[in-house]
Amino acid sequence: MDDDDDFDGDFDDDQVAALTAVRRLGDVVARIPWFSRIGQPLSDEERDLAQRYLDMLGFPDAAPVPLEDWTEAGDAADSIDLNSEGWEVEEQLRADLSRAALDYFDEDTLADTLGFVTEAAGPVVVEAIASAASLWPVEDDAVIEAATGAAVQACYQAALVLAAQAVEEHPFALRFRLFELGRWPVGLSGRSFNIF
């Protein structure tokens, strides 16, 4: 994806706006302070974002819970059941956004658009997590893989929000914002939203 003026003439103004927003997201991921605040107490802004995420996800009775170290983060990541309520809601949101995005773009264009962001994010996230792990050693490589996968997935979801032109504040945008603040929102387990 190049400059706004370089988009093919086959796209209308709404499509160009969405593609431009996704391109800018690809630039943003390179400047995010990935994993820079892991293990620190949650700030008021982080608590507010986390609670808004939970409210919009449909779990207002859940609460953000800070994790103190890589071991806790790994245990929390391992405890996320792929068939849990939170996981199912996120999957439904992803499916809804995918359908909405396909109202604007054909499958190939959408795949290329989302792929652009994940390809931009991958190396940046890998470098950032390696740096974080060198400062605060990690005993289990699986934790590093889980954190890396979660960050790249958050970029994909944020790009999907933009491609679908979701006009309201979306849970995926709020989750991505937590990553932007240097956190790893590990996920919902029971009524705890674990954040490293």
Side-chain angles (χ1 to χ4, degrees):
M1 284 188 197
D2 300 317
D3 246 24
D4 306 4
D5 297 336
D6 294 336
F7 288 122
D8 189 305
D10 292 341
F11 296 121
D12 65 25
D13 290 347
D14 287 341
Q15 291 170 312
V16 169
L19 292 171
T20 300
V22 172
R23 192 211 63 234
R24 288 182 182 144
L25 176 63
D27 295 337
V28 165
V29 300
R31 297 189 302 271
I32 290 174
W34 296 102
F35 308 108
S36 61
R37 283 190 39 79
I38 54 174
Q40 296 182 30
L42 293 176
S43 69
D44 290 343
E45 179 184 9
E46 290 163 349
R47 281 190 185 282
D48 177 62
L49 279 169
Q51 194 60 59
R52 282 166 38 214
Y53 165 82
L54 291 167
D55 292 348
M56 293 188 72
L57 206 61
F59 299 97
D61 55 336
V65 175
L67 303 174
E68 294 185 3
D69 56 35
W70 287 111
T71 301
E72 281 191 9
D75 290 345
D78 286 343
S79 73
I80 297 172
D81 181 2
L82 292 184
N83 295 312
S84 69
E85 288 178 278
W87 182 85
E88 288 180 8
V89 171
E90 282 208 349
E91 276 301 291
Q92 185 59 54
L93 288 172
R94 185 198 56 74
D96 291 346
L97 283 174
S98 295
R99 280 191 293 274
L102 288 171
D103 287 342
Y104 294 101
F105 302 105
D106 61 60
E107 288 184 21
D108 289 341
T109 302
L110 181 60
D112 289 347
T113 300
L114 300 176
F116 167 78
V117 172
T118 56
E119 286 172 21
V124 175
V125 169
V126 167
E127 183 178 336
I129 195 75
S131 176
S134 70
L135 296 172
W136 188 354
V138 184
E139 294 180 13
D140 186 357
D141 288 342
V143 180
I144 297 295
E145 292 173 15
T148 302
V152 172
Q153 179 191 46
C155 292
Y156 175 94
Q157 291 171 335
L160 190 55
V161 169
L162 296 172
Q165 302 183 41
V167 292
E168 296 180 9
E169 189 175 52
H170 195 279
F172 290 165
L174 295 171
R175 186 168 176 267
F176 181 76
R177 181 74 184 117
L178 287 167
F179 276 104
E180 284 188 287
L181 294 174
R183 306 309 296 225
W184 173 18
V186 179
L188 188 63
S189 180
R191 290 297 178 258
S192 297
F193 181 34
N194 296 303
I195 301 173
F196 187 29

